[in-house]
Amino acid sequence: MTQEELDSLMNSDVDMDNVVAEEESAEPEGTTAANDDEGENYRVTAEHPWPPPPPIEDHKVVSQLDDVTKGIESKANQVFDYLEDMSNKMMDIEGNGRDLQQFIKNQKALFEKLHEAFPQIVTFSKALTEIDSTQKKIDSIITASLDTGDSIMSIMDTMQYQDIHRQKIERVINVMRALAKYMNSLFEGKIDDSKRVASAVHIVGDTSTADVVSDDDIESLIATLGGGHH
């Protein structure tokens, strides 16, 4: 409310209801109904007017980024541990498969000699057929274990992007902390804030001083309006 409007109001030239209605309808640009919600419905967007959320623990940016980098590193280490365990087990499978391969090879050589010595015995020829089938299955197991081991190594290589992301976030944190320290140093004074002289709200030469209603004017207006209702 300007001084001119206040003078007009004091002289009863302004309809009080219209003044109240105009002030209520004059909402700041960019505000929405969601701004009236206190607490849980409050959302911060690029277009949302200031102030931003208070600097409580949940809203501290660097602290949240530190949590992100810590979480990334912790989960990545867990994944690498799982992958390493899988890789070791696949190597055991491959080793056992090699041993079985050698055993089947020896069994085949034995039954081939038996079949040559006793061709009339069907069991020997049948055993050779089963040995060939088993040998193919073992070869398949060994091949699958080797392919799985290669896939595990590929996953480990792909997981390196997690570490790259962590390093990028840490670089952002370091830049933000450096800027914060620079700004604190830039605005640092030699006088403690508690010992500073209180500054005036309006100083001679301020162009907006004439348009601002003083506390005395407001108290006088309230008293006048109160007396008018009686």
Side-chain angles (χ1 to χ4, degrees):
M1 180 181 291
T2 64
Q3 186 65 44
E4 183 180 358
E5 291 173 337
L6 178 61
D7 293 339
S8 299
L9 178 61
M10 296 297 293
N11 294 328
S12 301
D13 292 334
V14 179
D15 186 353
M16 189 62 187
D17 293 336
N18 291 337
V19 173
V20 174
E22 290 176 0
E23 291 181 350
E24 290 178 349
S25 62
E27 295 182 0
E29 183 179 356
T31 58
T32 61
N35 300 136
D36 296 332
D37 297 337
E38 297 181 356
E40 58 188 38
N41 291 331
Y42 185 83
R43 294 291 184 271
V44 179
T45 64
E47 295 80 14
H48 198 287
W50 286 74
I56 60 176
E57 195 64 30
D58 292 341
H59 295 154
K60 292 183 178 180
V61 178
V62 173
S63 178
Q64 289 184 346
L65 290 177
D66 285 335
D67 290 340
V68 170
T69 56
K70 183 178 179 180
I72 289 176
E73 186 175 10
S74 175
K75 295 302 180 182
N77 288 336
Q78 288 183 14
V79 173
F80 276 118
D81 289 341
Y82 294 146
L83 291 174
E84 185 177 2
D85 184 58
M86 292 171 59
S87 179
N88 292 335
K89 289 180 178 178
M90 294 311 300
M91 291 177 64
D92 291 340
I93 292 174
E94 180 188 353
N96 293 333
R98 299 293 184 188
D99 293 340
L100 288 174
Q101 245 183 359
Q102 185 61 43
F103 173 76
I104 291 297
K105 183 179 180 180
N106 294 337
Q107 291 296 308
K108 184 176 182 180
L110 174 62
F111 278 95
E112 283 178 343
K113 291 179 180 180
L114 290 173
H115 179 63
E116 289 176 2
F118 306 98
Q120 70 277 12
I121 300 178
V122 179
T123 303
F124 295 155
S125 60
K126 184 178 180 181
L128 284 174
T129 302
E130 292 176 350
I131 287 174
D132 288 337
S133 177
T134 303
Q135 192 171 30
K136 290 180 180 178
K137 291 179 180 179
I138 293 174
D139 292 342
S140 177
I141 291 173
I142 294 175
T143 301
S145 66
L146 291 173
D147 291 342
T148 303
D150 292 340
S151 297
I152 291 173
M153 294 303 297
S154 298
I155 293 174
M156 287 184 173
D157 291 339
T158 305
M159 284 292 295
Q160 296 300 324
Y161 83 93
Q162 293 279 5
D163 186 61
I164 296 175
H165 285 182
R166 179 184 59 81
Q167 293 180 37
K168 288 182 178 180
I169 295 175
E170 287 176 347
R171 182 169 59 185
V172 171
I173 292 173
N174 290 332
V175 172
M176 292 173 64
R177 293 297 298 157
L179 286 174
K181 291 179 179 179
Y182 172 77
M183 295 301 292
N184 288 337
S185 177
L186 186 66
F187 291 111
E188 193 176 49
K190 296 181 179 180
I191 303 174
D192 187 81
D193 289 340
S194 62
K195 298 179 181 179
R196 290 185 178 278
V197 178
S199 58
V201 177
H202 304 293
I203 302 176
V204 176
D206 289 347
T207 57
S208 61
T209 303
D211 295 331
V212 180
V213 181
S214 66
D215 293 340
D216 293 338
D217 292 334
I218 294 176
E219 291 179 3
S220 177
L221 173 62
I222 293 174
T224 302
L225 294 176
H229 287 302
H230 293 298

